[in-house]
Amino acid sequence: MSYGETEAVRGIDLEVARGEIFAFLGPNGAGKTTTVEILEGYRKRTGGEVLVLGEDPATAGRGWRDRIGIVLQSNSLDPYLTVRESIELYAGYFSHPRSVEETIALVGLEGKADDRARKLSGGQQRRLDVGMALVGDPELLFLDEPTTGFDPSARRQFWDVIESLRELGKTIFLTTHYMDEAQRLADRVTIIAAGRIVAQGTPEDLGEREKAAATIRYRDARGEEVTIETLDPVRELNRITGEAMERGEDLDGLEVTRPSLEDVYLDLTSTAEGVAGE
Ligand code: ATP
């Protein structure tokens, strides 16, 4: 996908399985929204092939649109409609809508059904957005950065909503720049940076964290901080602690750490941005 001279997304290749929660992760400007909008049929791509539910989104018709739900980055709520009215309105756009009350319950807004959208908190408005996307009973749901700006407890509540969609067997294409969100929710994660895919895999094996060097830290007898990077932390720890015990010394503040997923993410995305900037 090019915008004039700028290649926003360059030769990316990805597959999402039915029933999967797929997280598409990357820093600002990486190309996430561009990609998602192409998949949703909102943006015309300048090259490549795309199939979503077996059809090309650029030419797919009403029947296809009926099978997908979309939650955009900015909400599209009418501030003066109540929660129930908003969801009823959207139900009218689909040929086989799910029940309005059931949808309200699914997104946890039972107590707010008669409140106007403008009276809801940011997190509740986002849940209403999801409700409006869900009332058409889509097979596939796109969520574009759904929890940006949420406080930690609102994010966890929203994650519960997504977990319940997993149980309904929905396929979810989730865009986020929160590593912990991807780790918590996703079956598979793809990281994009500067328009290219830099890593793909399950949250567990992403970046081959298990094979990365561990860092051992402690303070020696003189109180000086010692840091050791090692690919074999078990053997190294055995040596260090064995020697300390022979000398009858303690190892104050002893800790062993591996790079967190966040470290892996920052490492991968900063390398890619560096390359793109050259
Ligand atoms: P964010 O996390 O900030 O939403 P993103 O990963 O969704 O970022 P995109 O919005 O897809 O990123 O943008 C990718 C690149 O394409 C950016 O460099 C952006 O400036 C550029 N871009 C996006 N939309 C347009 C447009 N309509 N015209 C020109 N350039 C654009």
mmCIF file of all heavy atoms in Angstrom, residues 21-70:
data_model
loop_
_atom_site.group_PDB
_atom_site.id
_atom_site.type_symbol
_atom_site.label_atom_id
_atom_site.label_comp_id
_atom_site.label_asym_id
_atom_site.label_seq_id
_atom_site.Cartn_x
_atom_site.Cartn_y
_atom_site.Cartn_z
ATOM 1 N N ILE A 21 -7.997 -15.648 17.901
ATOM 2 C CA ILE A 21 -7.783 -14.239 18.249
ATOM 3 C C ILE A 21 -6.379 -13.905 17.785
ATOM 4 O O ILE A 21 -5.402 -14.469 18.249
ATOM 5 C CB ILE A 21 -7.951 -13.957 19.752
ATOM 6 C CG1 ILE A 21 -9.382 -14.310 20.195
ATOM 7 C CG2 ILE A 21 -7.647 -12.490 20.042
ATOM 8 C CD1 ILE A 21 -9.705 -13.949 21.638
ATOM 9 N N PHE A 22 -6.352 -13.031 16.814
ATOM 10 C CA PHE A 22 -5.097 -12.689 16.149
ATOM 11 C C PHE A 22 -4.746 -11.257 16.521
ATOM 12 O O PHE A 22 -5.557 -10.350 16.321
ATOM 13 C CB PHE A 22 -5.314 -12.817 14.636
ATOM 14 C CG PHE A 22 -4.112 -12.499 13.803
ATOM 15 C CD1 PHE A 22 -3.204 -13.495 13.469
ATOM 16 C CD2 PHE A 22 -3.894 -11.212 13.341
ATOM 17 C CE1 PHE A 22 -2.091 -13.209 12.691
ATOM 18 C CE2 PHE A 22 -2.792 -10.918 12.556
ATOM 19 C CZ PHE A 22 -1.889 -11.925 12.237
ATOM 20 N N ALA A 23 -3.564 -11.057 17.084
ATOM 21 C CA ALA A 23 -3.177 -9.692 17.463
ATOM 22 C C ALA A 23 -2.165 -9.139 16.479
ATOM 23 O O ALA A 23 -1.189 -9.792 16.132
ATOM 24 C CB ALA A 23 -2.591 -9.681 18.869
ATOM 25 N N PHE A 24 -2.444 -7.941 16.032
ATOM 26 C CA PHE A 24 -1.593 -7.253 15.079
ATOM 27 C C PHE A 24 -1.001 -6.067 15.829
ATOM 28 O O PHE A 24 -1.730 -5.157 16.222
ATOM 29 C CB PHE A 24 -2.468 -6.802 13.909
ATOM 30 C CG PHE A 24 -1.732 -6.465 12.654
ATOM 31 C CD1 PHE A 24 -0.712 -7.277 12.193
ATOM 32 C CD2 PHE A 24 -2.090 -5.355 11.915
ATOM 33 C CE1 PHE A 24 -0.051 -6.974 11.012
ATOM 34 C CE2 PHE A 24 -1.446 -5.047 10.734
ATOM 35 C CZ PHE A 24 -0.421 -5.856 10.285
ATOM 36 N N LEU A 25 0.292 -6.142 16.058
ATOM 37 C CA LEU A 25 0.924 -5.260 17.020
ATOM 38 C C LEU A 25 1.981 -4.407 16.330
ATOM 39 O O LEU A 25 2.688 -4.898 15.462
ATOM 40 C CB LEU A 25 1.603 -6.181 18.033
ATOM 41 C CG LEU A 25 1.992 -5.653 19.371
ATOM 42 C CD1 LEU A 25 0.758 -5.599 20.243
ATOM 43 C CD2 LEU A 25 3.024 -6.557 20.005
ATOM 44 N N GLY A 26 2.090 -3.156 16.751
ATOM 45 C CA GLY A 26 3.152 -2.327 16.191
ATOM 46 C C GLY A 26 3.066 -0.915 16.712
ATOM 47 O O GLY A 26 2.016 -0.493 17.187
ATOM 48 N N PRO A 27 4.165 -0.177 16.625
ATOM 49 C CA PRO A 27 4.178 1.203 17.124
ATOM 50 C C PRO A 27 3.354 2.138 16.232
ATOM 51 O O PRO A 27 2.923 1.738 15.148
ATOM 52 C CB PRO A 27 5.656 1.573 17.107
ATOM 53 C CG PRO A 27 6.300 0.656 16.131
ATOM 54 C CD PRO A 27 5.480 -0.601 16.104
ATOM 55 N N ASN A 28 3.187 3.369 16.650
ATOM 56 C CA ASN A 28 2.470 4.368 15.858
ATOM 57 C C ASN A 28 3.070 4.459 14.465
ATOM 58 O O ASN A 28 4.290 4.512 14.319
ATOM 59 C CB ASN A 28 2.577 5.763 16.502
ATOM 60 C CG ASN A 28 1.778 5.886 17.789
ATOM 61 O OD1 ASN A 28 2.239 6.485 18.739
ATOM 62 N ND2 ASN A 28 0.597 5.328 17.828
ATOM 63 N N GLY A 29 2.195 4.485 13.471
ATOM 64 C CA GLY A 29 2.665 4.668 12.097
ATOM 65 C C GLY A 29 3.231 3.416 11.447
ATOM 66 O O GLY A 29 3.758 3.470 10.339
ATOM 67 N N ALA A 30 3.118 2.265 12.125
ATOM 68 C CA ALA A 30 3.708 1.027 11.596
ATOM 69 C C ALA A 30 2.968 0.522 10.362
ATOM 70 O O ALA A 30 3.544 -0.183 9.529
ATOM 71 C CB ALA A 30 3.689 -0.051 12.676
ATOM 72 N N GLY A 31 1.682 0.860 10.242
ATOM 73 C CA GLY A 31 0.885 0.383 9.107
ATOM 74 C C GLY A 31 -0.278 -0.491 9.525
ATOM 75 O O GLY A 31 -0.906 -1.144 8.679
ATOM 76 N N LYS A 32 -0.606 -0.505 10.787
ATOM 77 C CA LYS A 32 -1.690 -1.361 11.277
ATOM 78 C C LYS A 32 -3.046 -0.930 10.725
ATOM 79 O O LYS A 32 -3.774 -1.737 10.139
ATOM 80 C CB LYS A 32 -1.763 -1.331 12.818
ATOM 81 C CG LYS A 32 -0.493 -1.790 13.507
ATOM 82 C CD LYS A 32 -0.643 -1.767 15.025
ATOM 83 C CE LYS A 32 -0.930 -0.393 15.609
ATOM 84 N NZ LYS A 32 0.167 0.583 15.423
ATOM 85 N N THR A 33 -3.375 0.340 10.918
ATOM 86 C CA THR A 33 -4.693 0.815 10.478
ATOM 87 C C THR A 33 -4.835 0.683 8.969
ATOM 88 O O THR A 33 -5.878 0.264 8.462
ATOM 89 C CB THR A 33 -4.907 2.281 10.934
ATOM 90 O OG1 THR A 33 -4.804 2.309 12.361
ATOM 91 C CG2 THR A 33 -6.265 2.800 10.511
ATOM 92 N N THR A 34 -3.776 1.005 8.255
ATOM 93 C CA THR A 34 -3.788 0.852 6.796
ATOM 94 C C THR A 34 -4.148 -0.586 6.428
ATOM 95 O O THR A 34 -5.040 -0.835 5.605
ATOM 96 C CB THR A 34 -2.395 1.214 6.222
ATOM 97 O OG1 THR A 34 -2.117 2.575 6.539
ATOM 98 C CG2 THR A 34 -2.333 0.978 4.733
ATOM 99 N N THR A 35 -3.470 -1.537 7.050
ATOM 100 C CA THR A 35 -3.712 -2.952 6.747
ATOM 101 C C THR A 35 -5.143 -3.353 7.091
ATOM 102 O O THR A 35 -5.842 -3.971 6.284
ATOM 103 C CB THR A 35 -2.729 -3.841 7.551
ATOM 104 O OG1 THR A 35 -1.399 -3.414 7.266
ATOM 105 C CG2 THR A 35 -2.890 -5.308 7.198
ATOM 106 N N VAL A 36 -5.577 -2.974 8.291
ATOM 107 C CA VAL A 36 -6.908 -3.377 8.739
ATOM 108 C C VAL A 36 -7.979 -2.770 7.834
ATOM 109 O O VAL A 36 -8.934 -3.446 7.458
ATOM 110 C CB VAL A 36 -7.136 -2.943 10.205
ATOM 111 C CG1 VAL A 36 -8.551 -3.243 10.629
ATOM 112 C CG2 VAL A 36 -6.169 -3.674 11.109
ATOM 113 N N GLU A 37 -7.800 -1.522 7.457
ATOM 114 C CA GLU A 37 -8.819 -0.894 6.614
ATOM 115 C C GLU A 37 -8.875 -1.522 5.225
ATOM 116 O O GLU A 37 -9.932 -1.563 4.601
ATOM 117 C CB GLU A 37 -8.605 0.626 6.564
ATOM 118 C CG GLU A 37 -8.957 1.234 7.931
ATOM 119 C CD GLU A 37 -8.936 2.747 7.980
ATOM 120 O OE1 GLU A 37 -8.536 3.387 6.969
ATOM 121 O OE2 GLU A 37 -9.318 3.289 9.030
ATOM 122 N N ILE A 38 -7.755 -2.028 4.763
ATOM 123 C CA ILE A 38 -7.764 -2.773 3.498
ATOM 124 C C ILE A 38 -8.567 -4.074 3.674
ATOM 125 O O ILE A 38 -9.419 -4.412 2.850
ATOM 126 C CB ILE A 38 -6.324 -3.069 3.023
ATOM 127 C CG1 ILE A 38 -5.673 -1.762 2.547
ATOM 128 C CG2 ILE A 38 -6.317 -4.124 1.916
ATOM 129 C CD1 ILE A 38 -4.181 -1.871 2.278
ATOM 130 N N LEU A 39 -8.326 -4.748 4.796
ATOM 131 C CA LEU A 39 -9.045 -6.014 5.061
ATOM 132 C C LEU A 39 -10.541 -5.777 5.223
ATOM 133 O O LEU A 39 -11.356 -6.636 4.886
ATOM 134 C CB LEU A 39 -8.494 -6.696 6.316
ATOM 135 C CG LEU A 39 -7.008 -7.054 6.320
ATOM 136 C CD1 LEU A 39 -6.606 -7.693 7.639
ATOM 137 C CD2 LEU A 39 -6.685 -7.984 5.160
ATOM 138 N N GLU A 40 -10.899 -4.618 5.752
ATOM 139 C CA GLU A 40 -12.311 -4.308 5.999
ATOM 140 C C GLU A 40 -13.021 -3.797 4.740
ATOM 141 O O GLU A 40 -14.244 -3.600 4.753
ATOM 142 C CB GLU A 40 -12.423 -3.207 7.067
ATOM 143 C CG GLU A 40 -11.956 -3.637 8.442
ATOM 144 C CD GLU A 40 -11.776 -2.468 9.386
ATOM 145 O OE1 GLU A 40 -11.761 -1.301 8.931
ATOM 146 O OE2 GLU A 40 -11.636 -2.699 10.598
ATOM 147 N N GLY A 41 -12.239 -3.531 3.705
ATOM 148 C CA GLY A 41 -12.823 -2.998 2.477
ATOM 149 C C GLY A 41 -13.022 -1.489 2.507
ATOM 150 O O GLY A 41 -13.726 -0.923 1.683
ATOM 151 N N TYR A 42 -12.361 -0.812 3.477
ATOM 152 C CA TYR A 42 -12.494 0.636 3.600
ATOM 153 C C TYR A 42 -11.434 1.408 2.846
ATOM 154 O O TYR A 42 -11.548 2.599 2.643
ATOM 155 C CB TYR A 42 -12.439 1.058 5.070
ATOM 156 C CG TYR A 42 -13.777 1.000 5.732
ATOM 157 C CD1 TYR A 42 -13.974 0.262 6.892
ATOM 158 C CD2 TYR A 42 -14.856 1.687 5.177
ATOM 159 C CE1 TYR A 42 -15.217 0.201 7.488
ATOM 160 C CE2 TYR A 42 -16.103 1.624 5.769
ATOM 161 C CZ TYR A 42 -16.276 0.887 6.918
ATOM 162 O OH TYR A 42 -17.498 0.831 7.503
ATOM 163 N N ARG A 43 -10.343 0.717 2.530
ATOM 164 C CA ARG A 43 -9.257 1.405 1.856
ATOM 165 C C ARG A 43 -8.865 0.584 0.649
ATOM 166 O O ARG A 43 -8.823 -0.637 0.721
ATOM 167 C CB ARG A 43 -8.083 1.546 2.814
ATOM 168 C CG ARG A 43 -7.218 2.724 2.488
ATOM 169 C CD ARG A 43 -6.177 2.936 3.544
ATOM 170 N NE ARG A 43 -6.741 3.477 4.774
ATOM 171 C CZ ARG A 43 -6.160 4.429 5.499
ATOM 172 N NH1 ARG A 43 -5.018 4.950 5.108
ATOM 173 N NH2 ARG A 43 -6.714 4.868 6.601
ATOM 174 N N LYS A 44 -8.615 1.266 -0.472
ATOM 175 C CA LYS A 44 -8.257 0.570 -1.705
ATOM 176 C C LYS A 44 -6.764 0.342 -1.730
ATOM 177 O O LYS A 44 -5.995 1.293 -1.676
ATOM 178 C CB LYS A 44 -8.657 1.464 -2.889
ATOM 179 C CG LYS A 44 -9.603 0.793 -3.851
ATOM 180 C CD LYS A 44 -9.802 1.665 -5.082
ATOM 181 C CE LYS A 44 -10.153 0.784 -6.254
ATOM 182 N NZ LYS A 44 -11.540 0.863 -6.635
ATOM 183 N N ARG A 45 -6.350 -0.915 -1.786
ATOM 184 C CA ARG A 45 -4.907 -1.197 -1.791
ATOM 185 C C ARG A 45 -4.331 -0.897 -3.167
ATOM 186 O O ARG A 45 -5.050 -0.921 -4.169
ATOM 187 C CB ARG A 45 -4.668 -2.657 -1.405
ATOM 188 C CG ARG A 45 -5.215 -3.659 -2.405
ATOM 189 C CD ARG A 45 -5.034 -5.078 -1.900
ATOM 190 N NE ARG A 45 -5.441 -6.058 -2.885
ATOM 191 C CZ ARG A 45 -6.680 -6.538 -3.021
ATOM 192 N NH1 ARG A 45 -7.662 -6.086 -2.245
ATOM 193 N NH2 ARG A 45 -6.949 -7.433 -3.944
ATOM 194 N N THR A 46 -3.019 -0.632 -3.188
ATOM 195 C CA THR A 46 -2.371 -0.333 -4.467
ATOM 196 C C THR A 46 -1.666 -1.565 -5.035
ATOM 197 O O THR A 46 -1.128 -1.522 -6.130
ATOM 198 C CB THR A 46 -1.377 0.842 -4.311
ATOM 199 O OG1 THR A 46 -0.491 0.544 -3.226
ATOM 200 C CG2 THR A 46 -2.109 2.135 -4.005
ATOM 201 N N GLY A 47 -1.637 -2.680 -4.279
ATOM 202 C CA GLY A 47 -1.036 -3.904 -4.802
ATOM 203 C C GLY A 47 -1.329 -5.088 -3.902
ATOM 204 O O GLY A 47 -1.867 -4.927 -2.813
ATOM 205 N N GLY A 48 -1.017 -6.279 -4.383
ATOM 206 C CA GLY A 48 -1.135 -7.478 -3.554
ATOM 207 C C GLY A 48 -2.493 -8.134 -3.618
ATOM 208 O O GLY A 48 -3.408 -7.656 -4.302
ATOM 209 N N GLU A 49 -2.601 -9.267 -2.922
ATOM 210 C CA GLU A 49 -3.847 -10.043 -2.912
ATOM 211 C C GLU A 49 -4.394 -10.142 -1.506
ATOM 212 O O GLU A 49 -3.631 -10.351 -0.565
ATOM 213 C CB GLU A 49 -3.571 -11.479 -3.376
ATOM 214 C CG GLU A 49 -3.347 -11.611 -4.857
ATOM 215 C CD GLU A 49 -2.841 -13.011 -5.184
ATOM 216 O OE1 GLU A 49 -3.329 -13.975 -4.566
ATOM 217 O OE2 GLU A 49 -1.959 -13.106 -6.042
ATOM 218 N N VAL A 50 -5.703 -10.021 -1.372
ATOM 219 C CA VAL A 50 -6.336 -10.137 -0.064
ATOM 220 C C VAL A 50 -7.614 -10.966 -0.187
ATOM 221 O O VAL A 50 -8.436 -10.727 -1.072
ATOM 222 C CB VAL A 50 -6.728 -8.742 0.509
ATOM 223 C CG1 VAL A 50 -7.316 -8.895 1.897
ATOM 224 C CG2 VAL A 50 -5.542 -7.796 0.540
ATOM 225 N N LEU A 51 -7.765 -11.933 0.698
ATOM 226 C CA LEU A 51 -9.029 -12.667 0.812
ATOM 227 C C LEU A 51 -9.482 -12.625 2.271
ATOM 228 O O LEU A 51 -8.725 -12.973 3.170
ATOM 229 C CB LEU A 51 -8.875 -14.132 0.390
ATOM 230 C CG LEU A 51 -8.749 -14.434 -1.100
ATOM 231 C CD1 LEU A 51 -8.570 -15.925 -1.311
ATOM 232 C CD2 LEU A 51 -9.987 -13.935 -1.858
ATOM 233 N N VAL A 52 -10.715 -12.194 2.481
ATOM 234 C CA VAL A 52 -11.300 -12.186 3.816
ATOM 235 C C VAL A 52 -12.623 -12.943 3.731
ATOM 236 O O VAL A 52 -13.482 -12.581 2.921
ATOM 237 C CB VAL A 52 -11.522 -10.741 4.309
ATOM 238 C CG1 VAL A 52 -12.228 -10.739 5.653
ATOM 239 C CG2 VAL A 52 -10.199 -9.998 4.416
ATOM 240 N N LEU A 53 -12.766 -13.990 4.500
ATOM 241 C CA LEU A 53 -13.924 -14.886 4.410
ATOM 242 C C LEU A 53 -14.131 -15.308 2.952
ATOM 243 O O LEU A 53 -15.251 -15.334 2.449
ATOM 244 C CB LEU A 53 -15.194 -14.218 4.959
ATOM 245 C CG LEU A 53 -15.171 -13.813 6.444
ATOM 246 C CD1 LEU A 53 -16.440 -13.065 6.816
ATOM 247 C CD2 LEU A 53 -14.985 -15.018 7.356
ATOM 248 N N GLY A 54 -13.019 -15.557 2.282
ATOM 249 C CA GLY A 54 -13.073 -16.081 0.920
ATOM 250 C C GLY A 54 -13.331 -15.061 -0.177
ATOM 251 O O GLY A 54 -13.428 -15.430 -1.341
ATOM 252 N N GLU A 55 -13.467 -13.788 0.190
ATOM 253 C CA GLU A 55 -13.729 -12.791 -0.859
ATOM 254 C C GLU A 55 -12.730 -11.647 -0.796
ATOM 255 O O GLU A 55 -12.158 -11.362 0.252
ATOM 256 C CB GLU A 55 -15.146 -12.219 -0.703
ATOM 257 C CG GLU A 55 -16.218 -13.244 -0.999
ATOM 258 C CD GLU A 55 -17.598 -12.599 -1.073
ATOM 259 O OE1 GLU A 55 -17.743 -11.597 -1.797
ATOM 260 O OE2 GLU A 55 -18.505 -13.099 -0.383
ATOM 261 N N ASP A 56 -12.574 -10.969 -1.942
ATOM 262 C CA ASP A 56 -11.715 -9.794 -1.984
ATOM 263 C C ASP A 56 -12.509 -8.606 -1.420
ATOM 264 O O ASP A 56 -13.529 -8.213 -1.985
ATOM 265 C CB ASP A 56 -11.316 -9.515 -3.444
ATOM 266 C CG ASP A 56 -10.368 -8.330 -3.553
ATOM 267 O OD1 ASP A 56 -10.296 -7.521 -2.604
ATOM 268 O OD2 ASP A 56 -9.703 -8.216 -4.597
ATOM 269 N N PRO A 57 -12.046 -8.025 -0.308
ATOM 270 C CA PRO A 57 -12.803 -6.944 0.323
ATOM 271 C C PRO A 57 -13.043 -5.750 -0.603
ATOM 272 O O PRO A 57 -14.017 -5.000 -0.417
ATOM 273 C CB PRO A 57 -11.926 -6.510 1.496
ATOM 274 C CG PRO A 57 -10.873 -7.535 1.656
ATOM 275 C CD PRO A 57 -10.798 -8.346 0.403
ATOM 276 N N ALA A 58 -12.171 -5.575 -1.593
ATOM 277 C CA ALA A 58 -12.320 -4.425 -2.487
ATOM 278 C C ALA A 58 -13.580 -4.537 -3.340
ATOM 279 O O ALA A 58 -14.137 -3.537 -3.775
ATOM 280 C CB ALA A 58 -11.081 -4.291 -3.381
ATOM 281 N N THR A 59 -14.053 -5.775 -3.572
ATOM 282 C CA THR A 59 -15.200 -5.948 -4.459
ATOM 283 C C THR A 59 -16.371 -6.662 -3.769
ATOM 284 O O THR A 59 -17.430 -6.824 -4.367
ATOM 285 C CB THR A 59 -14.795 -6.786 -5.692
ATOM 286 O OG1 THR A 59 -14.201 -8.006 -5.230
ATOM 287 C CG2 THR A 59 -13.790 -6.054 -6.566
ATOM 288 N N ALA A 60 -16.165 -7.091 -2.509
ATOM 289 C CA ALA A 60 -17.205 -7.881 -1.836
ATOM 290 C C ALA A 60 -18.464 -7.046 -1.590
ATOM 291 O O ALA A 60 -18.389 -5.832 -1.412
ATOM 292 C CB ALA A 60 -16.668 -8.407 -0.508
ATOM 293 N N GLY A 61 -19.584 -7.695 -1.586
ATOM 294 C CA GLY A 61 -20.856 -6.980 -1.482
ATOM 295 C C GLY A 61 -21.501 -7.065 -0.117
ATOM 296 O O GLY A 61 -20.863 -7.371 0.882
ATOM 297 N N ARG A 62 -22.780 -6.820 -0.105
ATOM 298 C CA ARG A 62 -23.550 -6.722 1.123
ATOM 299 C C ARG A 62 -23.528 -8.011 1.955
ATOM 300 O O ARG A 62 -23.391 -7.959 3.162
ATOM 301 C CB ARG A 62 -24.979 -6.348 0.718
ATOM 302 C CG ARG A 62 -25.991 -6.472 1.790
ATOM 303 C CD ARG A 62 -26.541 -5.125 2.195
ATOM 304 N NE ARG A 62 -27.017 -5.249 3.547
ATOM 305 C CZ ARG A 62 -28.254 -5.029 3.917
ATOM 306 N NH1 ARG A 62 -29.132 -4.610 3.040
ATOM 307 N NH2 ARG A 62 -28.611 -5.188 5.165
ATOM 308 N N GLY A 63 -23.623 -9.154 1.256
ATOM 309 C CA GLY A 63 -23.639 -10.441 1.955
ATOM 310 C C GLY A 63 -22.369 -10.647 2.770
ATOM 311 O O GLY A 63 -22.396 -11.168 3.884
ATOM 312 N N TRP A 64 -21.268 -10.195 2.212
ATOM 313 C CA TRP A 64 -19.965 -10.308 2.894
ATOM 314 C C TRP A 64 -19.920 -9.354 4.087
ATOM 315 O O TRP A 64 -19.529 -9.716 5.189
ATOM 316 C CB TRP A 64 -18.872 -9.979 1.883
ATOM 317 C CG TRP A 64 -17.477 -9.987 2.424
ATOM 318 C CD1 TRP A 64 -16.683 -11.071 2.605
ATOM 319 C CD2 TRP A 64 -16.723 -8.848 2.850
ATOM 320 N NE1 TRP A 64 -15.471 -10.670 3.123
ATOM 321 C CE2 TRP A 64 -15.475 -9.317 3.282
ATOM 322 C CE3 TRP A 64 -16.982 -7.469 2.913
ATOM 323 C CZ2 TRP A 64 -14.473 -8.477 3.762
ATOM 324 C CZ3 TRP A 64 -15.990 -6.625 3.388
ATOM 325 C CH2 TRP A 64 -14.758 -7.125 3.806
ATOM 326 N N ARG A 65 -20.359 -8.138 3.866
ATOM 327 C CA ARG A 65 -20.351 -7.109 4.907
ATOM 328 C C ARG A 65 -21.191 -7.536 6.121
ATOM 329 O O ARG A 65 -20.897 -7.180 7.256
ATOM 330 C CB ARG A 65 -20.909 -5.811 4.304
ATOM 331 C CG ARG A 65 -20.465 -4.567 4.971
ATOM 332 C CD ARG A 65 -20.330 -3.391 4.023
ATOM 333 N NE ARG A 65 -19.056 -3.359 3.327
ATOM 334 C CZ ARG A 65 -17.887 -3.087 3.902
ATOM 335 N NH1 ARG A 65 -17.819 -2.852 5.181
ATOM 336 N NH2 ARG A 65 -16.778 -3.078 3.198
ATOM 337 N N ASP A 66 -22.228 -8.295 5.835
ATOM 338 C CA ASP A 66 -23.113 -8.834 6.860
ATOM 339 C C ASP A 66 -22.379 -9.783 7.814
ATOM 340 O O ASP A 66 -22.825 -10.012 8.921
ATOM 341 C CB ASP A 66 -24.200 -9.648 6.135
ATOM 342 C CG ASP A 66 -25.581 -9.275 6.616
ATOM 343 O OD1 ASP A 66 -25.809 -8.085 6.902
ATOM 344 O OD2 ASP A 66 -26.412 -10.192 6.717
ATOM 345 N N ARG A 67 -21.286 -10.367 7.340
ATOM 346 C CA ARG A 67 -20.576 -11.393 8.125
ATOM 347 C C ARG A 67 -19.412 -10.830 8.930
ATOM 348 O O ARG A 67 -18.742 -11.559 9.635
ATOM 349 C CB ARG A 67 -20.060 -12.491 7.180
ATOM 350 C CG ARG A 67 -21.192 -13.231 6.476
ATOM 351 C CD ARG A 67 -20.670 -14.051 5.316
ATOM 352 N NE ARG A 67 -19.762 -15.103 5.749
ATOM 353 C CZ ARG A 67 -18.897 -15.712 4.931
ATOM 354 N NH1 ARG A 67 -18.805 -15.358 3.660
ATOM 355 N NH2 ARG A 67 -18.123 -16.671 5.394
ATOM 356 N N ILE A 68 -19.148 -9.522 8.777
ATOM 357 C CA ILE A 68 -18.059 -8.948 9.560
ATOM 358 C C ILE A 68 -18.539 -7.808 10.453
ATOM 359 O O ILE A 68 -19.541 -7.149 10.160
ATOM 360 C CB ILE A 68 -16.875 -8.461 8.677
ATOM 361 C CG1 ILE A 68 -17.286 -7.276 7.815
ATOM 362 C CG2 ILE A 68 -16.321 -9.575 7.822
ATOM 363 C CD1 ILE A 68 -16.097 -6.645 7.123
ATOM 364 N N GLY A 69 -17.845 -7.628 11.578
ATOM 365 C CA GLY A 69 -18.130 -6.527 12.496
ATOM 366 C C GLY A 69 -16.880 -5.684 12.632
ATOM 367 O O GLY A 69 -15.771 -6.216 12.594
ATOM 368 N N ILE A 70 -17.071 -4.376 12.753
ATOM 369 C CA ILE A 70 -15.916 -3.483 12.766
ATOM 370 C C ILE A 70 -16.014 -2.500 13.924
ATOM 371 O O ILE A 70 -17.045 -1.854 14.104
ATOM 372 C CB ILE A 70 -15.862 -2.693 11.432
ATOM 373 C CG1 ILE A 70 -15.620 -3.665 10.270
ATOM 374 C CG2 ILE A 70 -14.790 -1.620 11.491
ATOM 375 C CD1 ILE A 70 -15.639 -3.013 8.907
#
